[in-house]
Amino acid sequence: MINLQPTFREPMSAIQIDEHGRLRHLLTLENLGRAHIDALLDRAAALRATVRAGSALPPLLAGRTVVNLFFEPSTRTRTSFELAARRLGALVVNFDIGSSSTSKGESLEDTLATLEAMDSDAFVVRHKENGTPARLAAHARRAAILNAGDGNHAHPTQGLLDLLTIRDRKGRIDGLKVAICGDVKHSRVARSDIHGLAALDAAEIRLCGPAALLPAQEDVPGCRITSDFDAALDAADVVIMLRIQKERIEHLPGFDEAEYFARYGLTRARLARARPDAVVMHPGPINRGIEIAPDVADGTQSVILDQVANGIFVRMAVLAELLQR
Amino acid sequence: MINLQPTFREPMSAIQIDEHGRLRHLLTLENLGRAHIDALLDRAAALRATVRAGSALPPLLAGRTVVNLFFEPSTRTRTSFELAARRLGALVVNFDIGSSSTSKGESLEDTLATLEAMDSDAFVVRHKENGTPARLAAHARRAAILNAGDGNHAHPTQGLLDLLTIRDRKGRIDGLKVAICGDVKHSRVARSDIHGLAALDAAEIRLCGPAALLPAQEDVPGCRITSDFDAALDAADVVIMLRIQKERIEHLPGFDEAEYFARYGLTRARLARARPDAVVMHPGPINRGIEIAPDVADGTQSVILDQVANGIFVRMAVLAELLQR
Amino acid sequence: MINLQPTFREPMSAIQIDEHGRLRHLLTLENLGRAHIDALLDRAAALRATVRAGSALPPLLAGRTVVNLFFEPSTRTRTSFELAARRLGALVVNFDIGSSSTSKGESLEDTLATLEAMDSDAFVVRHKENGTPARLAAHARRAAILNAGDGNHAHPTQGLLDLLTIRDRKGRIDGLKVAICGDVKHSRVARSDIHGLAALDAAEIRLCGPAALLPAQEDVPGCRITSDFDAALDAADVVIMLRIQKERIEHLPGFDEAEYFARYGLTRARLARARPDAVVMHPGPINRGIEIAPDVADGTQSVILDQVANGIFVRMAVLAELLQR
């Protein structure tokens, strides 16, 4: 079993689970617990089965209003949430931050209160500061808050869609060896993956990257930390490659794309060190030739587009769970 | 009874009411008349009752297309109109001015004609110039024009939602003493409130603010104008605080936020001068600590979030009235 | 019969028609063939008849997702596609290029693959580079690509709506004399009009403008090229005026708006040279007083707003054709 340190002093699990043990917000996978995670994955898989069978989706969110509050640009995640909500019948509003009251000096809490007063049922929040979704959840009167990525803290729906994708291919999470490679230190995706994998009893989580991009061991006590990419890949069942965010990396003295690819880029030769049936994952958008070779990204072991497809169903499941009457 | 001077030489009442006395556009509350106002408020209250009873709203706008034409940024009002229209079944298009033909030199009238040719049924217009919605109404062939705020001229749906909010709490408008405080001179909200309150026989309208931010007496002949905030609040039934628009105010020589708050900020001590059951209103977004103290904004006499909620229903009522076949 | 040179070495007809002869993408009218064009125009006219009869449109696109991928700003065309798709029941997503993954360095092909993995059924693409929609069509796994304008290459739905508008007024295309005037060289509208008119056996296509804005004869071998506006208009059945794109024209040494209007602006006097029942067309947005006189744009021979109205129905027809199961 993997032991992890809490990210925040006051655990968000107290905010996101109500007194009846039901999910009220989705802020983090940390301390969410296996039962909640399994229920969400099962629901996502059931919705997917409906679509794949050519059946119409049930209008689970008819009459509901979902507001996308994206303070950081993200078309991919925003579109995934929007499609998930609208395909279940919700009315979705994309709040335009640039021309909004918050840009006129209104506090985020007042913006939330205003939009709640318009009978909004859920807010999908992305923000560059850790804890913003939790701060909004603490102020919400009735609406559910969904964290769509806050700072380097958490991206729980990405964690869930990664779990679903692994479970599809491997039949289980428990006992698997998972390598997470790249800028682990600044990655909210990595953090949510770690919490989800630990909850579902992955055997080993290996975090790999240049020393400057790795978290401190005390922050991820159950994980193996290494700068040796070959060791991280050795007999791995799952390889999760992270996106190098150029805007963050170019501050590193002496960072060089070609050199990074040579040391930490996933090539076919490198991938041969993992188990032959290992799956290759990436949260996207991918930098071809920086963290991953094009033929690996497009290869038979890659499940990158499955991740995207599962993202819709996981977000449907979370919205349906949070907004059921 | 309060007497008011007409704002424009040619009254817009001639444009917004058709030859059968029916509402064709909503440009201003000036000369709209009690019967029309009461009908809209009643319809808004009925739609609200439907929602509060947990019933589904009737698809009054199914098959109709509403275009949001916002030449000034406003997420709050645009979202309110969008939700109102979509919850009644309309298809809503947010016209992106920045990438539009008008930015390529097309006249506003040609943009209107083009969008009307696409079978648009209503245009919700916000523009910094007084009279733009009226100008468009004069050119519309079939579509209804809704003024969502033009310059410092009018914001009729804000006026209506303020009337509904007051009527809810006080049971009536007639006989009430209403104080409107802040930058009255440049406020389209104040102007529409004044016209609406006068039409529904408010007993007294007091306009209060620094001399530089007050209208000339001849423009608002029936109102009491004062720079004495305490006098304005004395035994008032309703206190409407206006937003200080920093971009406008900072041109004033010697304007100081703390000094403004000391003289014209609504605190609990100040509010005690009004009637004990007085309601506190604000069109939002609020500047906490400039025109209103946080504990008053969040206090039991504040109906600010009721205003927001009523905004949806008032806009539904106006759209339903204008687009009924 | 008008003979035309192929625009690209490898004809797009091979991409846009599947092995059963069915339309799979709409990239260009070049080599599309009369049967396909007539079928689309008939379908558009039938959908229009439904709406004009006051009947509800069939939800032909219910459960389908259409993504607007506009890499060039265009509110007019984007809105037309959006309304067409939504009125037939599709869910439409406007992909915000500015905040998208492509702006983070993702390849266009990866963006397409990602959005396809979210179960998108069609992509409406506008791009400044010739051939971008074809490039995407070559990579699409299942989704249909609709060209909404690429560089100066093609704008096939504009071509179709122009054909429908002419057919409405003239009862036919074959045998007609059509003048296309303005910046023909850089116009994708002109190119698609030429291909469509040629396919439907127009008698004569005359291309007119300043020498610098005319294509080479070998590129449009079946067309008559002239800089003599009066000659181009002589006994014409149809006059298509093109928009002068100021950003492109101001690079021309010595370009002067007044001089252009004097030589190539369509005035009533000029129009008198065409047949008395000639129709005047323009793809919009119009520059009043540059390429067309206001009284001609608004006159009885102008069908400019009919073009706009037909645009919706033509786009419905294309979407319905491409997305029928």
Side-chain angles (χ1 to χ4, degrees), chain B residues 2-83:
Chain B
I2 296 160
N3 285 303
L4 295 168
Q5 292 287 96
T7 316
F8 281 79
R9 292 276 167 75
E10 302 184 35
M12 290 184 188
S13 43
I15 306 176
Q16 67 183 353
I17 305 291
D18 74 10
E19 68 272 26
H20 307 292
R22 284 187 300 239
L23 199 63
R24 163 131 173 61
H25 306 287
L26 181 65
L27 306 176
T28 176
L29 299 189
E30 190 176 3
N31 295 321
L32 181 58
R34 169 150 218 154
H36 279 294
I37 293 176
D38 280 342
L40 290 170
L41 299 186
D42 291 347
R43 189 163 199 167
L47 289 161
R48 186 176 60 191
T50 301
V51 168
R52 300 275 159 92
S55 305
L57 284 163
L60 298 173
L61 304 181
R64 299 313 197 88
T65 299
V66 175
V67 179
N68 277 328
L69 270 182
F70 276 63
F71 295 88
E72 277 189 342
S74 162
T75 299
R76 170 187 295 260
T77 304
R78 189 189 58 64
T79 301
S80 181
F81 268 108
E82 181 174 347
L83 287 173

Side-chain angles (χ1 to χ4, degrees), chain B residues 65 67 95 106 108-123 139-144, chain C residues 48 51-52 76 79-80 83-84 87 161 165 282-284 302-316:
Chain B
T65 299
V67 179
F95 195 77
E106 190 182 51
L108 206 50
E109 284 82 358
D110 280 340
T111 299
L112 176 76
T114 299
L115 290 165
E116 267 206 276
M118 294 183 190
D119 281 342
S120 299
D121 298 286
F123 292 83
H139 278 81
R141 290 180 305 156
R142 195 184 53 83
Chain C
R48 186 176 60 192
V51 168
R52 299 276 158 90
R76 169 188 295 262
T79 301
S80 181
L83 288 173
R87 286 179 182 156
L161 74 88
T165 307
H282 191 297
S302 167
V303 294
I304 295 174
L305 293 177
D306 297 295
Q307 290 173 272
V308 174
N310 285 335
I312 301 271
F313 299 109
V314 156
R315 284 159 188 138
M316 284 181 180

Side-chain angles (χ1 to χ4, degrees), chain A residues 13 28 35 63 100-101 153 159 205 254 263 265 268 298 300 304 314 325:
Chain A
S13 42
T28 175
S100 73
S101 302
H153 168 241
I205 303 176
R263 283 201 62 188
R268 293 180 74 83
D298 301 329
T300 54
I304 295 175
V314 157
R325 293 180 201 270

Side-chain angles (χ1 to χ4, degrees), chain A residues 97-239:
Chain A
I97 304 300
S99 64
S100 73
S101 302
T102 49
S103 73
K104 297 181 189 168
E106 189 181 52
S107 74
L108 207 49
E109 284 80 359
D110 280 340
T111 299
L112 176 76
T114 299
L115 291 164
E116 268 206 275
M118 294 184 191
D119 280 342
S120 300
D121 298 285
F123 293 83
V124 179
V125 182
R126 169 163 288 193
H127 202 281
K128 69 174 189 295
E129 280 178 41
N130 292 359
T132 298
R135 186 181 132 203
L136 291 176
H139 278 83
R141 291 179 304 156
R142 195 185 52 83
I145 306 293
L146 289 82
N147 184 358
D150 60 329
N152 67 353
H153 168 241
H155 193 351
T157 56
Q158 179 74 42
L160 290 171
L161 72 89
D162 285 347
L163 293 175
L164 180 59
T165 307
I166 298 170
R167 199 179 81 166
D168 287 340
R169 291 294 180 118
K170 297 289 165 198
R172 64 198 161 89
I173 305 291
D174 60 271
L176 296 183
K177 294 178 182 164
V178 182
I180 303 178
C181 309
D183 183 3
V184 180
K185 186 176 184 175
H186 301 105
S187 173
R188 55 196 173 207
V189 173
R191 227 166 290 318
S192 283
D193 280 346
I194 292 168
H195 286 126
L197 291 163
L200 299 197
D201 296 325
E204 231 181 273
I205 303 176
R206 305 162 182 172
L207 309 178
C208 175
L213 302 181
L214 286 172
Q217 182 69 64
E218 66 257 31
D219 292 333
V220 285
C223 301
R224 256 185 60 199
I225 299 184
T226 177
S227 283
D228 180 343
F229 194 28
D230 289 331
L233 293 171
D234 185 55
D237 297 285
V238 177
V239 182

